[in-house]
Amino acid sequence: MDFDAFYTKNKNLVYNLALQYVQNIEQAQEITQDVFLKAHQKIHTFKGQAKIETWLYRITINTSLDAIKAKKRKKRFAIFSYNQDELTNSTDFNHPGITLENKEALQALFSLINKLPQTQKTALILVKIEGKSIKEVAYILEKTPKAVESLLQRAKTQLKIYITQTEGL
Amino acid sequence: MTKPSSKKHMTDPLDLLQTIKPVAIDHKVYQTIVEKIAISKPIVPLQWLHTAAAILICFISIEGYLLASESSQRTNDFSELITQTDNTLYYE
């Protein structure tokens, strides 16, 4: 398969998954670029055992998490005095897949999801937004279905705690 | 008629996540990726670099081996000189 066809087939899969992680158009586009560059460089290492979609999912998840880490590091060095949560959540939130009526609620929800540990966040995104089954997520994350269920459950419990804390403020 | 239970009508905040719609990426991104791929391509093919590195390593190893064998030969000669103990007096 040539790169043009490969890109056309998978571009929206990568872009939308990156968007769920960073909730920002520019950053998601940058992640998409990085993912396809990595895929182009490493396509020869791809083993036919897994589906190419699963392979791309893994690259996108890792690249998105790396981008988030890099951004946090950059902010920590740049602005010590400002409130980091406020900066990440209010100024950068730009998700084109969200309707205007749900924007405020989802921005608040994402600000809580972003506080979750990476694996819990990933499980939540893949199941709740991408609509993947537990089995599929387990395959992507190379974990057992039980481990994914546990991650999801912990994510939900943690989110409930965050929501109660936010309402209590 | 029974009232609907409040639990049944309580909505899960996570259900909101399912309202997020998939979007299409800007077509300009492809152009940027193609440009980046062109930049990242090395001028000298990677295989050639590997071959050159392998040859260099071979040369260095051979050189090292030759130097080592030469120096051991020298020490052998030297030890031979030392072991040649000659205690005879010529003008006895």
PDB file of all heavy atoms in Angstrom, chain B residues 8 39 42 48 51 54 61 64 66 83 86 90:
ATOM      1  N   LYS B   8     -33.203   6.242  38.094  1.00  0.00           N
ATOM      2  CA  LYS B   8     -33.370   5.884  36.690  1.00  0.00           C
ATOM      3  C   LYS B   8     -33.136   7.095  35.779  1.00  0.00           C
ATOM      4  O   LYS B   8     -32.633   6.990  34.673  1.00  0.00           O
ATOM      5  CB  LYS B   8     -34.773   5.334  36.501  1.00  0.00           C
ATOM      6  CG  LYS B   8     -34.867   4.290  35.409  1.00  0.00           C
ATOM      7  CD  LYS B   8     -36.233   3.706  35.411  1.00  0.00           C
ATOM      8  CE  LYS B   8     -36.367   2.612  34.386  1.00  0.00           C
ATOM      9  NZ  LYS B   8     -37.718   2.050  34.390  1.00  0.00           N
ATOM     10  N   ILE B  39      12.305  15.896   4.036  1.00  0.00           N
ATOM     11  CA  ILE B  39      13.431  16.457   4.801  1.00  0.00           C
ATOM     12  C   ILE B  39      14.139  15.359   5.592  1.00  0.00           C
ATOM     13  O   ILE B  39      15.361  15.310   5.653  1.00  0.00           O
ATOM     14  CB  ILE B  39      12.941  17.584   5.751  1.00  0.00           C
ATOM     15  CG1 ILE B  39      12.446  18.782   4.934  1.00  0.00           C
ATOM     16  CG2 ILE B  39      14.048  18.033   6.702  1.00  0.00           C
ATOM     17  CD1 ILE B  39      11.653  19.796   5.723  1.00  0.00           C
ATOM     18  N   PRO B  42      17.552  10.702   4.506  1.00  0.00           N
ATOM     19  CA  PRO B  42      18.983  10.999   4.483  1.00  0.00           C
ATOM     20  C   PRO B  42      19.520  11.100   3.052  1.00  0.00           C
ATOM     21  O   PRO B  42      19.036  10.397   2.163  1.00  0.00           O
ATOM     22  CB  PRO B  42      19.597   9.813   5.220  1.00  0.00           C
ATOM     23  CG  PRO B  42      18.593   8.723   5.115  1.00  0.00           C
ATOM     24  CD  PRO B  42      17.259   9.364   4.995  1.00  0.00           C
ATOM     25  N   TRP B  48      24.285   2.319   2.894  1.00  0.00           N
ATOM     26  CA  TRP B  48      25.672   2.688   2.586  1.00  0.00           C
ATOM     27  C   TRP B  48      26.407   3.072   3.867  1.00  0.00           C
ATOM     28  O   TRP B  48      27.575   2.723   4.056  1.00  0.00           O
ATOM     29  CB  TRP B  48      25.709   3.857   1.594  1.00  0.00           C
ATOM     30  CG  TRP B  48      25.471   3.409   0.198  1.00  0.00           C
ATOM     31  CD1 TRP B  48      24.313   3.498  -0.508  1.00  0.00           C
ATOM     32  CD2 TRP B  48      26.404   2.756  -0.660  1.00  0.00           C
ATOM     33  NE1 TRP B  48      24.457   2.958  -1.753  1.00  0.00           N
ATOM     34  CE2 TRP B  48      25.738   2.494  -1.885  1.00  0.00           C
ATOM     35  CE3 TRP B  48      27.747   2.376  -0.526  1.00  0.00           C
ATOM     36  CZ2 TRP B  48      26.367   1.861  -2.951  1.00  0.00           C
ATOM     37  CZ3 TRP B  48      28.368   1.757  -1.597  1.00  0.00           C
ATOM     38  CH2 TRP B  48      27.676   1.491  -2.790  1.00  0.00           C
ATOM     39  N   THR B  51      27.272  -0.044   5.754  1.00  0.00           N
ATOM     40  CA  THR B  51      28.393  -0.743   5.121  1.00  0.00           C
ATOM     41  C   THR B  51      29.715  -0.050   5.465  1.00  0.00           C
ATOM     42  O   THR B  51      30.688  -0.724   5.841  1.00  0.00           O
ATOM     43  CB  THR B  51      28.216  -0.778   3.591  1.00  0.00           C
ATOM     44  OG1 THR B  51      26.856  -1.081   3.317  1.00  0.00           O
ATOM     45  CG2 THR B  51      29.110  -1.785   2.927  1.00  0.00           C
ATOM     46  N   ALA B  54      30.675  -0.725   8.993  1.00  0.00           N
ATOM     47  CA  ALA B  54      31.151  -2.107   9.162  1.00  0.00           C
ATOM     48  C   ALA B  54      32.588  -2.248   8.669  1.00  0.00           C
ATOM     49  O   ALA B  54      33.425  -2.876   9.339  1.00  0.00           O
ATOM     50  CB  ALA B  54      30.236  -3.063   8.403  1.00  0.00           C
ATOM     51  N   SER B  61      39.627  -3.305  13.829  1.00  0.00           N
ATOM     52  CA  SER B  61      39.865  -4.582  14.524  1.00  0.00           C
ATOM     53  C   SER B  61      41.122  -5.256  13.987  1.00  0.00           C
ATOM     54  O   SER B  61      41.939  -5.769  14.762  1.00  0.00           O
ATOM     55  CB  SER B  61      38.692  -5.544  14.371  1.00  0.00           C
ATOM     56  OG  SER B  61      37.532  -4.884  14.157  1.00  0.00           O
ATOM     57  N   GLY B  64      44.135  -3.411  15.213  1.00  0.00           N
ATOM     58  CA  GLY B  64      44.325  -3.733  16.634  1.00  0.00           C
ATOM     59  C   GLY B  64      44.955  -5.092  16.801  1.00  0.00           C
ATOM     60  O   GLY B  64      45.900  -5.260  17.584  1.00  0.00           O
ATOM     61  N   LEU B  66      46.737  -6.781  14.583  1.00  0.00           N
ATOM     62  CA  LEU B  66      48.120  -6.768  14.097  1.00  0.00           C
ATOM     63  C   LEU B  66      49.059  -6.147  15.112  1.00  0.00           C
ATOM     64  O   LEU B  66      50.147  -6.667  15.369  1.00  0.00           O
ATOM     65  CB  LEU B  66      48.200  -6.009  12.762  1.00  0.00           C
ATOM     66  CG  LEU B  66      47.604  -6.742  11.550  1.00  0.00           C
ATOM     67  CD1 LEU B  66      47.652  -5.866  10.317  1.00  0.00           C
ATOM     68  CD2 LEU B  66      48.360  -8.047  11.285  1.00  0.00           C
ATOM     69  N   THR B  83      66.031 -14.666  28.952  1.00  0.00           N
ATOM     70  CA  THR B  83      66.256 -16.055  29.376  1.00  0.00           C
ATOM     71  C   THR B  83      67.624 -16.591  28.947  1.00  0.00           C
ATOM     72  O   THR B  83      68.097 -17.574  29.492  1.00  0.00           O
ATOM     73  CB  THR B  83      65.155 -16.978  28.830  1.00  0.00           C
ATOM     74  OG1 THR B  83      65.023 -16.722  27.444  1.00  0.00           O
ATOM     75  CG2 THR B  83      63.824 -16.788  29.553  1.00  0.00           C
ATOM     76  N   ASP B  86      73.924 -16.264  30.179  1.00  0.00           N
ATOM     77  CA  ASP B  86      75.236 -16.806  29.820  1.00  0.00           C
ATOM     78  C   ASP B  86      76.246 -16.397  30.898  1.00  0.00           C
ATOM     79  O   ASP B  86      76.627 -15.235  30.986  1.00  0.00           O
ATOM     80  CB  ASP B  86      75.627 -16.229  28.453  1.00  0.00           C
ATOM     81  CG  ASP B  86      76.743 -17.026  27.839  1.00  0.00           C
ATOM     82  OD1 ASP B  86      77.215 -17.967  28.502  1.00  0.00           O
ATOM     83  OD2 ASP B  86      77.117 -16.691  26.714  1.00  0.00           O
ATOM     84  N   TYR B  90      84.536 -15.573  29.170  1.00  0.00           N
ATOM     85  CA  TYR B  90      85.244 -15.844  27.917  1.00  0.00           C
ATOM     86  C   TYR B  90      86.766 -15.887  28.071  1.00  0.00           C
ATOM     87  O   TYR B  90      87.456 -16.624  27.431  1.00  0.00           O
ATOM     88  CB  TYR B  90      84.861 -14.796  26.860  1.00  0.00           C
ATOM     89  CG  TYR B  90      83.444 -14.921  26.424  1.00  0.00           C
ATOM     90  CD1 TYR B  90      82.474 -14.071  26.913  1.00  0.00           C
ATOM     91  CD2 TYR B  90      83.068 -15.940  25.536  1.00  0.00           C
ATOM     92  CE1 TYR B  90      81.161 -14.197  26.515  1.00  0.00           C
ATOM     93  CE2 TYR B  90      81.770 -16.078  25.153  1.00  0.00           C
ATOM     94  CZ  TYR B  90      80.798 -15.207  25.627  1.00  0.00           C
ATOM     95  OH  TYR B  90      79.521 -15.351  25.240  1.00  0.00           O
TER      96      TYR B  90
END
